[in-house]
């Protein structure tokens, strides 16, 4: 019985350590629910960039593609990079650039609203949410963000 308890305890400990290591893995985008304000969390990129220890995560390069969908996707990757490093001013600049490429992009507009909620820019959040609610009136993530 003691051996079984020790095995179970060891398995639980291993699972917790693995989960903690996964949370600090630089290759995993922050855990995101897809709605509401963005919850900032500790990431390996944040630690490396702020402490100047370890290898900082490289900033995604700006795409020179001619396809607008690809350019917006590239800007959104840069937004998430700056969110993960908790540089919300740069994240907001990047989301504005994405919306400059395609103002009707639902993903970019919704992320803009969520980022505005995160930094306390309620007029911007309300304006962006008004647009996405018209574009996708049945989207549950948009309804959840609006409910905040």
């Amino acid at each position: 019985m003691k051996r079984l308890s020790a095995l179970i305890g060891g398995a639980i400990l291993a699972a917790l350590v693995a989960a903690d290591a996964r949370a600090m893995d630089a290759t995993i985008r922050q855990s995101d629910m897809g709605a509401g304000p963005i919850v900032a969390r500790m990431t390996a990129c944040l630690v490396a960039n702020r402490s100047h220890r370890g290898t900082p995560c490289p900033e995604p390069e700006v795409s020179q593609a001619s396809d607008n969908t690809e350019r917006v996707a590239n800007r959104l990757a840069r937004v998430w990079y700056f969110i993960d490093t908790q540089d919300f001013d740069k994240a907001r600049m990047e989301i504005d650039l994405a919306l400059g490429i395609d103002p009707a992009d639902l993903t970019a507009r919704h992320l803009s609203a969520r980022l505005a909620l995160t930094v306390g820019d309620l007029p911007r959040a309300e304006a962006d949410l008004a647009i996405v609610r018209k574009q996708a009136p049945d989207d549950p993530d948009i309804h959840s963000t609006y409910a905040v």
Side-chain angles (χ1 to χ4, degrees):
M1 187 67 165
K2 284 185 180 183
R3 185 176 176 146
L4 180 60
S5 295
L7 286 173
I8 292 172
I12 291 171
L13 181 60
L16 291 173
V17 168
D20 188 48
R22 181 170 157 45
M24 290 296 291
D25 184 353
T27 62
I28 297 172
R29 178 180 286 173
Q30 82 163 20
S31 175
D32 183 59
M33 299 302 288
I38 297 161
V39 178
R41 68 178 187 89
M42 187 66 63
T43 65
C45 291
L46 175 65
V47 171
N49 289 347
R50 295 268 172 99
S51 69
H52 305 290
R53 290 188 194 153
T55 305
C57 298
E59 181 178 322
E61 292 186 23
V62 176
S63 172
Q64 301 302 319
S66 59
D67 179 55
N68 282 351
T69 303
E70 188 176 325
R71 290 175 52 215
V72 169
N74 171 254
R75 291 296 177 176
L76 292 178
R78 290 175 56 81
V79 169
W80 282 110
Y81 169 82
F82 291 121
I83 288 170
D84 281 346
T85 58
Q86 295 184 17
D87 191 339
F88 296 118
D89 291 335
K90 286 186 180 178
R92 292 181 79 186
M93 288 190 302
E94 287 293 331
I95 200 69
D96 288 341
L97 290 169
L99 290 169
I101 296 166
D102 185 359
D105 187 280
L106 182 66
T107 303
R109 184 68 66 180
H110 186 218
L111 184 55
S112 176
R114 295 181 62 216
L115 193 53
L117 284 171
T118 302
V119 299
D121 185 353
L122 297 182
R124 169 77 182 259
E126 289 173 354
D128 285 337
L129 283 169
I131 293 168
V132 294
R133 289 181 72 215
K134 287 179 185 173
Q135 286 180 294
D138 297 325
D139 187 304
D141 287 337
I142 292 170
H143 283 289
S144 294
T145 301
Y146 181 73
V148 173

